[in-house]
Amino acid sequence: CPQPKRAPRRSSQSIVLWAARHADMRVLFCHGLESGPGGFKPRALRSQGATVTAPDMAMSLWNPTKRNSVVLGLLSPRAMLTRWPSQWIGGALADSFEACVDVQRTALRDAGPAAFDVLIGSSWGGAVAAALIAEGAWTGPAVMLCPALSELRRHGAIEAIVDQIAALPAERKAQCLIVHGDADETIPVADSVKLCAATGIELEVIEGGNHGMGSVAADGRLLRFAERVVSSEA
């Protein structure tokens, strides 16, 4: 894994000028676990001029009004009758995860991969983005913010994604970037260090960055990271 980089901050004026020069970025955004299409990061990207498609994955841990929530999976008669109790949580997470990946697959199929310049995923959405990359549903540039892959693996919800990404050609992995804050108390940055070591994807560490990564979206750094991986495609 390449040595993690520490991302420098830039002045507000330079960020505004940069965003103005890259206002045509077309983003497919995979939102986080309890977020949605109207979350802060997609809104920040739009305010900086990007065109953002953020399909609603209808995901939550405990909100039963979300069709892909884990709690609905736990209460599913099919799941309870076909799994041992020790498998209920991991199985429900796996079902929810697969449903969310399928939402993004459908968005890509309906719009066509050429409709987007870059795939961005945050936390749970970062893991969804990784799944799309691993299976080849998305073959373009990607930025994954504090992806929750290790957390899903700890619960037995996923297995092959990391190995599949590790097996991708080096030039394909060079189009991908993982960004993680060193003050993240939800998904430790150590998870992404291990993930990058296992896959060969570059890691960018945000000094003082928390799990929400709101400042990275607000000050234009997320858009710059997107431009960086898009530029690597050329």
Side-chain angles (χ1 to χ4, degrees):
C1 176
Q3 288 298 310
K5 295 182 179 180
R6 300 273 171 174
R9 294 181 180 273
R10 293 191 179 184
S11 70
S12 298
Q13 183 179 16
S14 67
I15 290 164
V16 169
L17 290 172
W18 186 92
R21 291 197 302 270
H22 298 82
D24 57 350
M25 185 75 67
R26 300 170 302 166
V27 177
L28 177 61
F29 190 89
C30 304
H31 63 74
L33 186 67
E34 304 290 346
S35 187
F40 178 76
K41 286 183 280 293
R43 286 190 286 112
L45 289 167
R46 291 186 186 106
S47 73
Q48 294 157 11
T51 299
V52 181
T53 300
D56 188 357
M57 295 190 288
M59 176 55 191
S60 171
L61 282 179
W62 304 114
N63 185 346
T65 67
K66 301 289 188 178
R67 70 178 183 276
N68 295 325
S69 65
V70 174
V71 67
L72 286 184
L74 286 170
L75 297 175
S76 163
R78 179 189 64 82
M80 288 190 286
L81 291 172
T82 59
R83 292 171 177 151
W84 294 105
S86 61
Q87 299 173 319
W88 284 351
I89 293 178
L93 277 168
D95 290 345
S96 294
F97 184 72
E98 175 59 25
C100 291
V101 173
D102 196 54
V103 168
Q104 302 295 340
R105 288 191 196 109
T106 300
L108 283 166
R109 183 178 64 245
D110 290 349
F116 307 108
D117 299 309
V118 63
L119 173 67
I120 299 177
S122 178
S123 190
W124 176 272
V128 170
L132 296 170
I133 294 164
E135 69 181 32
W138 174 256
T139 58
V143 178
M144 291 164 277
L145 303 173
C146 39
L149 278 171
S150 295
E151 191 67 22
L152 285 163
R153 289 184 84 181
R154 277 192 282 270
H155 286 89
I158 61 168
E159 293 297 334
I161 292 174
V162 174
D163 292 339
Q164 289 170 335
I165 292 177
L168 291 173
E171 59 270 21
R172 175 72 190 89
K173 291 185 281 190
Q175 295 178 278
C176 300
L177 177 67
I178 292 174
V179 181
H180 210 128
D182 63 7
D184 190 334
E185 296 182 354
T186 303
I187 306 291
V189 68
D191 283 5
S192 283
V193 172
K194 292 176 184 176
L195 178 59
C196 288
T199 61
I201 290 177
E202 183 181 351
L203 173 63
E204 187 89 39
V205 175
I206 305 298
E207 187 173 354
N210 61 21
H211 188 67
M213 302 290 265
S215 63
V216 173
D219 66 14
R221 279 178 288 173
L222 179 53
L223 199 55
R224 287 195 286 114
F225 290 141
E227 168 63 16
R228 191 163 107 196
V229 292
V230 169
S231 297
S232 73
E233 188 179 28

